[in-house]
């Protein structure tokens, strides 16, 4: 690594040392004849306990030195509340601060309890989420092509004890064994609570594992985590992609360097090329420029990639004009297609008691075991619509989409509607948290001495769409995030059905017969009517922090910002590689997909310049 600011010209400039950015930088710098510069506005904090101790992960979201604290504009759909939206601002980006869940749950089904199958990778229906990218017009982006990169990015390590406990064995067809990110299973769980959850789900028709031959994609799983089992530490793009390669002479990381603009110029043929990048050193205030001999790759995440594009003259002309920015590429898709982010019924942290935290910290430092050595949830289920909503109701919901979107012009909404009709892609995530986990918007605290379980409900493919746009020409003013929460009625309706489903689950054996549940605390027995549940959702709803889509990979006429090579329309050498290129949500949690996109994107760049 070098931090020598006098080097002003590089083959590649990567903007943002986040989840995707460090994959791209490390892969491109494998070629010793290539120079790569990374500009990151945060600092390198991988040595701080909250970053590396898995159980302290949620603290990062409230620490200013590593988190950019976005708040959405007030959302009419949820009583004008703003939703807090932390994004990683550090080396490793959000992979250094997130909740560590790592997996393609559906594609890489993990059998649990009594299910036995060796063949997990060919579940037909499981590929639909990724094949959808190709269906939307992106040639070459499908499950088949991405699988190679999923495997390339990860090493799945399970101990014999974990294998025995969870019935899980790495499957060479779908799990990577030599990639940089360490993926592993929980080291702590409550077998009674998990077993009850799986059994009750099973009684409701949500099986422990899918049948690989009929494409049934529903199922309940043990989640995997981005944790290096040796030492029980977080595995992030910082620890897995950057740290092992930081001594490369051709890899240059500048931290506390905030990019303010891409310098775009026309060549003699009129083509627009990215000549370099302007940034400001946050400590000295010095304004600097670096030049790109080959390409500039934007990896600043779903909120700030669109900001940098707009500040650089690429976006919706009306928005650029409003801030006096010269229009270089008329690309109205920039900052649009922000799907309302999967909402949560309940969230936040279990370790509220300082004495418990200290005891757990002592145990972690002693032998790297205990609650802090692992992720929180060890039981989840991903459920297609027909498993939790009656057929009549599904018909009604589908009709309501037609009423609300009479033009049906948005290809991503059309695709999502088809997915509802086909009923092959899970629409609901239910994560079991063995703790009191209400959203902080409700302002509730647990009663001391009592025990709780919480279900986190996440809508996987919301129909509401929002925007992220600049609200000032000043690069240091955060862009305005407007997810249009619950703007599409179907999202609220499905949320109501999700809550009703969980109530039915709790009346299903073994929950019902084992005397596990004393009473429902939230929403509480008084909330019974659909209107009452909707009111509760508007009060309680939170986000699971998975923004995507704001520089979507789609045909330009469908509102696309990048083409299937991740290059920005109308430019010659400017690409986006981060979560913002995903035009629709994939079921589950996105970081594994962001890594795969970044791996594939790096290959596309290398092949293009060979
Ligand atoms: C609290 C939280 C918990 C989450 N938990 C999970 C989980 O358990 N599992 C999961 O799969 N996903 C989870 N996610 C989501 C997941 O982490 C993100 O989707 C993913 O990491 C995004 O990667 P990215 O490369 O797009 O952006 P990021 O990783 O956010 O990288 C963007 C980088 O660009 C930098 N940057 C931005 N603007 C500039 C600029 N102008 N100049 C220089 N640098 C800039 C940022 O500082 C940052 O380092 C979570 C997210 C949050 C916020």
């Amino acid at each position: 690594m070098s931090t020598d600011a006098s080097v002003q010209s590089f083959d590649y400039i990567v903007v943002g040392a986040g989840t995707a950015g460090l994959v791209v930088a490390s892969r491109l710098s494998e070629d010793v004849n290539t120079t790569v510069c990374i500009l990151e506005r945060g600092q390198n904090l991988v040595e701080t306990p909250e970053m590396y101790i898995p159980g302290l992960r949620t603290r990062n979201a409230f620490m200013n030195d590593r988190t950019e604290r976005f708040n959405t504009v007030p959302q009419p759909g949820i009583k004008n509340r703003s939703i807090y939206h932390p994004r990683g601002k550090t080396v490793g980006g959000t992979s250094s601060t997130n909740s560590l869940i790592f997996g393609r749950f559906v594609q890489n089904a993990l059998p649990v309890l009594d299910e036995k199958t060796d063949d997990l990778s060919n579940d037909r229906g499981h590929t639909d989420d990724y094949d959808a990218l190709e269906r939307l017009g992106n040639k070459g982006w499908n499950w088949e092509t991405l699988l190679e990169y999923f495997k390339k990015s990860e090493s799945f390590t399970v101990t014999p004890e974990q294998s025995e406990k969870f019935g899980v064995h790495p499957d060479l067809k779908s799990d990577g064994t030599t990639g940089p990110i360490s993926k592993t299973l929980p080291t702590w769980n409550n077998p009674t609570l998990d077993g009850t959850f799986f059994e009750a789900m099973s009684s409701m028709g949500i099986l422990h594992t899918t049948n690989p031959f009929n494409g049934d994609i529903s199922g309940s799983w043990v989640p995997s985590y981005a944790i290096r089992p040796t030492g029980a530490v977080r595995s992030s793009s910082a620890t897995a992609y950057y740290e092992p390669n930081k001594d490369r002479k051709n890899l240059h990381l500048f931290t506390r360097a905030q990019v303010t603009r891409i310098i775009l110029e026309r060549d003699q043929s009129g083509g627009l090329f990215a000549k370099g990048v302007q940034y400001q050193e946050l400590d000295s205030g010095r304004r600097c420029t670096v030049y790109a001999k080959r390409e500039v790759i934007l990896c600043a995440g779903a909120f700030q990639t669109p900001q940098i594009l707009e500040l650089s003259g690429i976006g919706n002309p009306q928005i650029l004009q409003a801030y006096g920015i010269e229009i270089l590429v008329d690309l109205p898709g920039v900052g649009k297609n922000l799907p309302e982010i999967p909402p949560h019924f309940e969230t936040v942290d279990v370790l509220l008691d300082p004495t418990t935290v200290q005891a757990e910290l002592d145990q972690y430092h002693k032998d790297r075991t205990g609650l802090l050595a692992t992720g929180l949830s060890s039981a989840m289920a991903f459920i297609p619509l027909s498993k939790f909503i009656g057929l009549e109701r599904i018909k009604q919901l589908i009709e309501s989409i037609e009423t609300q979107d009479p033009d049906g012009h948005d290809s991503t909404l059309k695709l999502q509607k088809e997915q509802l009709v086909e009923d092959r892609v899970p629409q609901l995530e239910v994560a079991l948290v063995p703790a009191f986990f209400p959203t902080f918007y409700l302002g509730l605290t647990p009663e001391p001495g009592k025990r709780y379980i919480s279900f986190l409900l996440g809508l996987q493919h919301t129909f509401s769409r929002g925007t992220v746009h600049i609200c000032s020409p000043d690069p240091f003013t955060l862009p305005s995030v407007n997810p249009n929460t619950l703007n599409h009625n179907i999202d609220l309706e499905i949320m109501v059905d999700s809550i009703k489903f969980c109530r039915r689950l709790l009346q299903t054996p073994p929950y019902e017969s084992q005397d596990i549940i004393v009473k429902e605390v939230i929403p509480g027995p008084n909330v019974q009517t659909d209107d009452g549940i909707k009111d509760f959702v508007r009060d309680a709803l939170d986000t699971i922090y998975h923004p995507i889509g704001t520089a979507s990979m789609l045909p330009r006429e469908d509102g696309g910002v990048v083409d299937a090579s991740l290059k920005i329309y109308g430019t010659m050498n400017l690409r986006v590689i981060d979560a913002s290129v995903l035009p629709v949500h994939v079921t589950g949690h996105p970081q594994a997909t962001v890594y795969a996109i970044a791996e594939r994107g790096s290959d596309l760049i290398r092949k293009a310049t060979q």
Side-chain angles (χ1 to χ4, degrees):
M1 176 201 70
S2 153
T3 49
D4 180 0
S6 65
V7 182
Q8 293 293 326
S9 184
F10 304 88
D11 289 314
Y12 298 104
I13 300 171
V14 175
V15 177
T19 315
L22 289 179
V23 177
V24 174
S26 93
R27 291 300 181 197
L28 293 179
S29 61
E30 281 171 359
D31 176 353
V32 292
N33 297 315
T34 297
T35 51
V36 180
C37 158
I38 321 162
L39 298 167
E40 166 58 48
R41 71 204 160 120
Q43 1 165 16
N44 195 345
L45 297 167
V46 284
E47 301 293 337
T48 59
E50 298 82 8
M51 287 254 177
Y52 71 82
I53 301 179
L56 299 186
R57 64 198 166 271
T58 49
R59 292 184 182 182
N60 292 305
F62 301 95
M63 299 171 88
N64 292 334
D65 63 350
R66 63 203 63 184
T67 289
E68 194 63 78
R69 304 180 69 162
F70 286 89
N71 283 292
T72 68
V73 297
Q75 298 295 290
I78 48 170
K79 304 185 183 181
N80 277 330
R81 280 192 294 121
S82 291
I83 291 197
Y84 177 53
H85 244 302
R87 309 304 305 160
K89 178 182 63 176
T90 180
V91 176
T94 312
S95 77
S96 290
T97 59
N98 71 15
S99 304
L100 300 140
I101 297 171
F102 187 89
R104 308 157 259 138
F105 307 105
V106 196
Q107 287 69 26
N108 184 20
L110 304 177
V112 292
L113 298 181
D114 54 346
E115 288 293 326
K116 289 187 185 63
T117 170
D118 294 329
D119 190 359
L120 302 171
S121 59
N122 61 349
D123 300 88
R124 214 162 28 90
H126 300 170
T127 64
D128 286 12
D129 265 329
Y130 294 92
D131 292 344
L133 299 176
E134 196 150 52
R135 268 166 80 177
L136 286 168
N138 302 302
K139 198 160 178 286
W141 288 86
N142 53 48
W143 170 245
E144 206 65 28
T145 51
L146 277 171
L147 179 58
E148 179 194 335
Y149 295 102
F150 278 119
K151 290 170 73 175
K152 188 174 181 185
S153 66
E154 68 180 29
S155 298
F156 191 23
T157 316
V158 255
T159 61
E161 297 77 50
Q162 285 171 316
S163 274
E164 194 181 326
K165 184 172 187 180
F166 297 115
V168 176
H169 308 274
D171 174 356
L172 292 183
K173 276 185 282 173
S174 59
D175 294 313
T177 51
T178 55
I181 298 288
S182 297
K183 172 171 98 172
T184 193
L185 294 174
T187 48
W188 179 92
N189 78 325
N190 181 324
T192 310
L193 288 182
D194 289 356
T196 307
F197 178 82
F198 290 134
E199 261 188 71
M201 279 287 177
S202 188
S203 306
M204 303 276 287
I206 292 92
L207 303 180
H208 297 318
T209 177
T210 56
N211 177 342
F213 305 110
N214 72 2
D216 178 359
I217 54 175
S218 65
S220 59
W221 327 104
V222 177
S224 43
Y225 287 93
I227 296 175
R228 199 170 67 220
T230 328
V233 290
R234 176 188 289 272
S235 182
S236 64
S237 67
T239 62
Y241 281 91
Y242 178 66
E243 289 291 322
N245 302 313
K246 66 182 180 188
D247 293 329
R248 286 180 187 164
K249 295 217 165 5
N250 58 342
L251 182 61
H252 307 260
L253 170 67
F254 300 96
T255 53
R256 304 272 299 147
Q258 172 141 353
V259 170
T260 51
R261 191 169 78 93
I262 312 291
I263 306 164
L264 292 154
E265 282 188 5
R266 299 220 173 261
D267 70 2
Q268 282 167 349
S269 65
L272 193 68
F273 69 96
K275 189 176 166 194
V277 170
Q278 282 180 353
Y279 69 95
Q280 185 160 329
E281 288 178 354
L282 294 177
D283 295 325
S284 69
R286 197 158 71 103
R287 294 185 183 180
C288 309
T289 303
V290 278
Y291 294 97
K293 289 186 244 172
R294 292 187 188 170
E295 296 206 4
V296 173
I297 302 120
L298 270 178
C299 305
F303 289 166
Q304 288 183 284
T305 282
Q307 179 192 22
I308 295 169
L309 286 174
E310 290 180 345
L311 290 171
S312 309
I314 300 176
N316 182 332
Q318 280 174 348
I319 293 169
L320 304 190
Q321 263 159 4
Y323 298 107
I325 296 168
E326 186 191 357
I327 300 151
L328 295 175
V329 186
D330 174 347
L331 210 50
V334 171
K336 279 177 70 177
N337 193 30
L338 174 67
E340 207 307 84
I341 301 129
H344 262 184
F345 174 23
E346 294 177 338
T347 181
V348 193
D349 202 358
V350 58
L351 295 162
L352 295 172
D353 171 16
T355 324
T356 312
V357 174
Q358 193 49 55
E360 289 292 339
L361 263 176
D362 293 345
Q363 184 172 345
Y364 178 85
H365 288 305
K366 192 170 131 237
D367 59 8
R368 301 287 164 134
T369 61
L371 273 178
L372 300 183
T374 191
L376 188 56
S377 174
S378 45
M380 293 183 171
F382 289 88
I383 310 173
L385 215 52
S386 63
K387 299 278 186 193
F388 67 101
I389 300 185
L391 286 180
E392 263 314 300
R393 173 95 167 121
I394 294 180
K395 263 172 63 185
Q396 267 177 17
L397 290 175
I398 290 169
E399 277 163 21
S400 82
I401 305 171
E402 269 149 26
T403 324
Q404 202 167 343
D405 304 307
D407 301 339
H409 60 275
D410 184 320
S411 65
T412 64
L413 291 183
K414 245 159 105 181
L415 175 116
Q416 282 181 233
K417 187 186 146 197
E418 282 161 20
Q419 287 178 332
L420 285 192
V421 175
E422 291 162 8
D423 197 31
R424 281 147 54 96
V425 171
Q427 299 294 335
L428 173 66
E429 168 183 352
V430 182
L432 171 70
V433 176
F436 186 79
F437 238 51
T439 61
F440 54 68
Y441 301 106
L442 290 172
L444 298 171
T445 47
E447 279 188 51
K450 296 221 165 135
R451 298 286 177 267
Y452 300 84
I453 61 166
S454 307
F455 292 136
L456 272 64
L457 307 185
L459 298 194
Q460 298 296 291
H461 303 280
T462 49
F463 278 76
S464 304
R465 291 290 193 277
T467 56
V468 180
H469 288 302
I470 50 170
C471 48
S472 157
D474 172 13
F476 297 96
T477 302
L478 292 181
S480 163
V481 178
N482 179 8
N484 274 327
T485 305
L486 298 186
N487 162 263
H488 208 298
N489 195 39
I490 193 170
D491 294 339
L492 183 58
E493 296 291 339
I494 296 180
M495 207 68 218
V496 171
D497 285 292
S498 309
I499 290 174
K500 289 181 178 169
F501 168 81
C502 282
R503 283 182 161 161
R504 289 199 301 279
L505 188 74
L506 291 176
Q507 285 155 11
T508 305
Y511 277 121
E512 182 246 9
S513 53
Q514 273 188 2
D515 222 10
I516 286 179
I517 307 298
V518 180
K519 66 171 184 184
E520 177 187 308
V521 181
I522 305 167
N526 294 336
V527 181
Q528 288 300 337
T529 62
D530 281 11
D531 282 347
I533 298 175
K534 283 179 188 170
D535 198 50
F536 164 75
V537 170
R538 290 192 185 100
D539 281 330
L541 186 130
D542 195 358
T543 172
I544 193 172
Y545 318 118
H546 296 168
I548 58 156
T550 51
S552 278
M553 175 172 63
L554 283 172
R556 192 169 181 171
E557 60 277 17
D558 291 337
V561 174
V562 299
D563 64 19
S565 70
L566 303 176
K567 205 174 268 182
I568 296 191
Y569 290 111
T571 71
M572 295 163 71
N573 64 341
L574 181 59
R575 296 188 209 235
V576 177
I577 303 184
D578 61 23
S580 42
V581 303
L582 256 184
V584 279
H585 267 296
V586 290
T587 307
H589 297 227
Q591 68 170 333
T593 303
V594 174
Y595 282 118
I597 290 173
E599 287 279 11
R600 184 160 198 265
S602 308
D603 260 9
L604 290 172
I605 294 173
R606 286 201 296 205
K607 281 178 192 151
T609 48
Q610 260 164 17

